[in-house]
Amino acid sequence: SIARAKSGSVSYSNVFFTAGVAEPLIITEDQAGFVDRDRGFVMPLSSQMMGQITSDFFTSPFTYSLALPVEPQGSLRDVDQDGGEDTGIQIYAIAYWTNTFGDSYLEKRDLGGGGWSTAYASTRVGTGAADNMEIIGGKLLIYAPDDQQGFPSAFGADGFLFTEDDPIVGLPQGYTVVDLDTDPFTFDRSQEQTIDLIEGEFSVLNDFSQMSYTEAFDAMIDLMSREYAFTELKGIDWEAKAAEFRPRFEQAEADQDPDAYRLALRDYAWSIPDTHIAGPFDQDLFMQETGGGLGMAIRDVDDGRVLVNFVLDGGPAAEAGIKERAEIVAINGTPINDFVSANVPWSGPFSNEKDHRLQQLRYAIRFPVGTAVEVTYQNKGDTEPTTVTLTTIEERASLSFSSSSYGITGLELPVEFDVLDSGYGYVKIYSFFDNERLTAELWERMIQTMNDYGIPGLIVDMRQNGGGSGFLADQMAGYFFDEQITVGNTGYYAKDINDFFFNPETIEYMYPPEENLRYHGALVVLVGPGCASACEFFSYAMTLQDRATVVGQYPTAGAGGSVDQFAMPEGEFFQYTIGRAVNAEGEIHIEGTGVVPDVLVPVTEETLFSATDPVLDAAVATLDDMLAQ
């Protein structure tokens, strides 16, 4: 039978709140872990009473309702501080979670190892290093099995809940909602109550959108100078940045010129060497400045030459006699390497110089339509270079060909797999930003297939994965391990210490699934600069305990942190890195360097024009060697 009903709303401003969510849940979150101060506490299934989402989840705020049973089955904790051993009470927050793995209830992997909510719950937690994740307000739902139990009536002198200095009052049997924002606490036993969930300081969007351009710029500099994760690593001087860019914002404000403002904001973003940084993108200006192509694409090879690796039939390059494998010597009279190095790609900024160079090669030969461009080239077999003047035409084929996402249609599933002619398994993970439940189920189907058919080796292709959920990425890597593995930690700025704080209670792990879902064959991971962010964390995790060999021609993008966004004037959002990710030894391990291949496939004329995929070929050869030993 049903005893009580609760309802409420959940407001969210964080732009990533709904990303990848397939099964959003409102549940009673057993707070025994908080009482014990045990971040590894996993809420028992019996304690997870499910609510019903009663409005559109994808529109903030959404609403929920929750019906409570007469006798809940949560964990009992004695919190009356009298030194005796009493039956205790059940203590819950009402919280939002998302389910990805297993059945409809939350298991250890869904919970990130356990613990209590820091956002989107009926409770509010501290965000400083000293009181990090301590409950400091909001509401708790409690259940007393009899009328002999006690509960704090206030926080006590230390400001913390469930500690020895708490003043205690008696409780009646049954459910009570405790309001922690009053002093003393308010105890409410109404039959129906509204309990809204709190977004939390960690998650609330910083909103500078109603400020003037200059005010918003100052607020942005102030925020990023404190919260940007890699100031020291990148050697960023925020005062110098302010001196460089503030005049442009002042001028845009004085001229009431939103286009100049957006360009200033874009150029500020491009000045920070971090792949995760993202400012405005002006599609019209992009098309104007890069819409004209020469009908060819170019690439570096290891011996220092720049070769043409794509020629568009009927394009300006083809009409002038430029062929594939031609060496580009100069453009507009400037030696090709100098010309390329001077380019500022539209796809910036970049954490990794290898990625930067590849994008410079793409954009160096993009111009407005109708631009005359002098190209000095030497076709293979020619004894001398030839100089021609080409006029750019409206064509995107050459730019698309040189993209790391070339060939992607947008119709791909997040995980697709097959068995190669070699007898090895091949799986490609396109995204960790797609439907998380679907991604996990496809991944498990792949693992089961490889195990059912006794596939001895597996190639995991990560070369076209732009990232997404780092936690999902780590847990998918966990299917190749037999034990819980420490992955690392992430530090965030804490106001009370004015520094980055790495909470030892939030170390990140891979949690292996049940044994029948683990794969024990040989592993190779394919990487490249199109693998960014969460993709890099997956690729790194696969190398732990020497589990997989990494094969590629280039390292990954080097985007090694977690991100947030803030709102700026004119409807713009600015993304920046707030989480400083480190490995188990506390070292920054991905940002700037990426995951570097163990087997480095050369970029030569032979591999550049191979009829097959040279990186995949190298992966098959690597597995052959591994399994022959």
Side-chain angles (χ1 to χ4, degrees):
S1 61
I2 303 300
R4 304 291 175 101
K6 311 299 176 192
S7 62
S9 65
V10 184
S11 297
Y12 56 88
S13 61
N14 190 290
V15 295
F16 301 109
F17 180 81
T18 61
V21 175
E23 291 188 21
L25 303 176
I26 298 295
I27 67 167
T28 50
E29 181 183 271
D30 193 325
Q31 295 298 294
F34 174 70
V35 175
D36 300 342
R37 302 310 197 270
D38 176 12
R39 291 293 303 176
F41 175 81
V42 176
M43 293 179 284
L45 299 186
S46 60
S47 75
Q48 297 177 32
M49 296 173 277
M50 300 290 181
Q52 179 181 5
I53 293 176
T54 53
S55 70
D56 178 17
F57 168 73
F58 294 96
T59 301
S60 176
F62 66 90
T63 57
Y64 78 91
S65 64
L66 175 66
L68 302 175
V70 172
E71 294 185 13
Q73 302 299 311
S75 308
L76 291 165
R77 290 295 185 270
D78 178 10
V79 295
D80 64 9
Q81 310 299 334
D82 66 359
E85 294 186 9
D86 298 317
T87 301
I89 60 174
Q90 298 176 38
I91 306 169
Y92 302 97
I94 298 174
Y96 159 80
W97 284 87
T98 178
N99 182 52
T100 301
F101 300 98
D103 59 24
S104 296
Y105 292 92
L106 303 182
E107 59 176 80
K108 188 172 187 175
R109 290 182 295 170
D110 293 311
L111 295 168
W116 57 91
S117 290
T118 59
Y120 308 107
S122 62
T123 49
R124 186 170 58 255
V125 301
T127 59
D131 62 353
N132 193 39
M133 301 183 186
E134 286 284 332
I135 292 176
I136 59 173
K139 293 180 178 179
L140 288 170
L141 171 68
I142 61 178
Y143 176 81
D146 54 44
D147 61 2
Q148 302 300 306
Q149 308 306 313
F151 191 87
S153 62
F155 283 107
D158 64 5
F160 297 138
L161 197 59
F162 307 133
T163 55
E164 292 182 355
D165 66 351
D166 293 346
I168 303 297
V169 296
L171 289 175
Q173 187 276 334
Y175 288 103
T176 303
V177 173
V178 184
D179 187 343
L180 308 177
D181 291 326
T182 62
D183 187 12
F185 300 158
T186 301
F187 295 78
D188 189 344
R189 290 174 54 80
S190 302
Q191 190 77 13
E192 296 186 2
Q193 295 183 52
T194 298
I195 303 177
D196 296 331
L197 306 195
I198 303 166
E199 186 166 31
E201 188 177 340
F202 282 127
S203 303
V204 172
L205 175 75
N206 285 295
D207 189 351
F208 309 139
S209 63
Q210 301 307 307
M211 298 179 180
S212 69
Y213 296 161
T214 309
E215 290 171 339
F217 174 77
D218 291 341
M220 174 176 64
I221 287 286
D222 178 64
L223 179 71
M224 293 185 69
S225 67
R226 290 179 284 109
E227 295 189 2
Y228 176 68
F230 297 113
T231 294
E232 292 79 13
L233 181 71
K234 310 284 185 181
I236 297 175
D237 183 335
W238 295 105
E239 291 185 359
K241 288 257 180 257
E244 178 183 359
F245 286 97
R246 195 175 196 276
R248 292 182 60 182
F249 285 82
E250 291 174 333
Q251 190 63 53
E253 183 176 326
D255 296 341
Q256 297 183 338
D257 187 342
D259 291 335
Y261 152 75
R262 287 191 173 96
L263 277 177
L265 189 58
R266 182 203 69 176
D267 290 349
Y268 167 77
W270 284 0
S271 76
I272 302 170
D274 184 330
T275 300
H276 271 136
I277 297 286
F281 187 87
D282 187 325
Q283 182 68 26
D284 292 338
L285 185 59
F286 172 73
M287 294 301 295
Q288 176 186 326
E289 291 188 356
T290 70
L294 300 172
M296 68 179 188
I298 57 176
R299 277 276 294 278
D300 284 327
V301 289
D302 292 344
D303 63 14
R305 292 179 296 157
V306 176
L307 302 184
V308 175
N309 66 326
F310 171 84
V311 177
L312 177 66
D313 288 344
E319 293 295 311
I322 299 175
K323 301 176 181 179
E324 283 189 4
R325 299 178 185 256
E327 179 182 358
I328 300 300
V329 177
I331 293 181
N332 290 336
T334 302
I336 184 61
N337 281 313
D338 293 340
F339 189 82
V340 169
S341 295
N343 179 260
V344 179
W346 264 84
S347 52
F350 308 95
S351 295
N352 187 315
E353 188 51 42
K354 296 282 189 182
D355 188 14
H356 184 200
R357 174 68 180 188
L358 287 169
Q359 295 301 314
Q360 286 180 312
L361 287 161
R362 293 183 71 207
Y363 284 96
I365 54 174
R366 305 302 302 184
F367 306 88
V369 174
T371 301
V373 181
E374 184 184 86
V375 179
T376 302
Y377 71 96
Q378 185 171 344
N379 281 330
K380 191 173 180 63
D382 288 354
T383 57
E384 296 292 336
T386 300
T387 297
V388 294
T389 298
L390 310 179
T391 301
T392 59
I393 63 171
E394 186 175 343
E395 62 89 6
R396 312 297 294 176
S398 59
L399 186 65
S400 297
F401 179 83
S402 57
S403 169
S404 61
S405 59
Y406 180 69
I408 293 179
T409 66
L411 301 177
E412 294 82 5
L413 292 169
V415 175
E416 295 185 355
F417 64 94
D418 201 353
V419 176
L420 304 176
D421 292 341
S422 62
Y424 298 131
Y426 172 85
V427 60
K428 189 164 186 176
I429 309 176
Y430 284 96
S431 177
F432 294 112
F433 208 65
D434 208 317
N435 181 311
E436 292 185 357
R437 180 78 180 187
L438 173 64
T439 303
E441 289 179 345
L442 290 169
W443 187 244
E444 291 187 351
R445 175 67 179 272
M446 182 276 297
I447 296 287
Q448 289 172 328
T449 300
M450 298 302 148
N451 286 337
D452 289 347
Y453 286 89
I455 301 300
L458 178 64
I459 298 167
V460 186
D461 193 341
M462 305 302 295
R463 289 175 292 175
Q464 293 181 307
N465 184 316
S469 167
F471 180 76
L472 177 63
D474 285 344
Q475 300 325 303
M476 287 172 64
Y479 285 70
F480 302 106
F481 296 86
D482 287 320
E483 59 184 340
Q484 180 174 308
I485 305 291
T486 301
V487 177
N489 203 347
T490 302
Y492 298 90
Y493 177 77
K495 287 185 291 188
D496 60 336
I497 62 172
N498 193 31
D499 201 354
F500 276 70
F501 175 58
F502 291 83
N503 191 333
E505 300 296 324
T506 58
I507 290 173
E508 296 150 6
Y509 301 96
M510 288 186 287
Y511 304 102
E514 54 267 33
E515 190 169 349
N516 68 306
L517 284 174
R518 303 173 197 168
Y519 178 79
H520 295 97
L523 287 172
V524 167
V525 177
L526 310 186
V527 301
C531 173
S533 194
C535 176
E536 302 182 79
F537 289 107
F538 173 91
S539 302
Y540 167 76
M542 294 284 279
T543 70
L544 297 176
Q545 299 186 348
D546 296 322
R547 184 65 183 92
T549 299
V550 179
V551 175
Q553 292 183 308
Y554 306 98
T556 59
S562 51
V563 300
D564 198 3
Q565 292 190 354
F566 50 84
M568 291 289 283
E570 306 294 352
E572 297 293 344
F573 288 85
F574 194 98
Q575 179 173 287
Y576 70 120
T577 309
I578 61 167
R580 185 184 300 168
V582 297
N583 61 18
E585 289 72 43
E587 303 161 331
I588 296 172
H589 59 312
I590 290 176
E591 180 63 38
T593 58
V595 177
V596 179
D598 302 307
V599 177
L600 188 63
V601 180
V603 184
T604 62
E605 189 170 342
E606 178 184 2
T607 59
L608 193 60
F609 296 97
S610 173
T612 59
D613 181 342
V615 176
L616 183 58
D617 292 343
V620 171
T622 299
L623 284 176
D624 286 343
D625 292 343
M626 294 167 67
L627 293 169
Q629 295 176 4

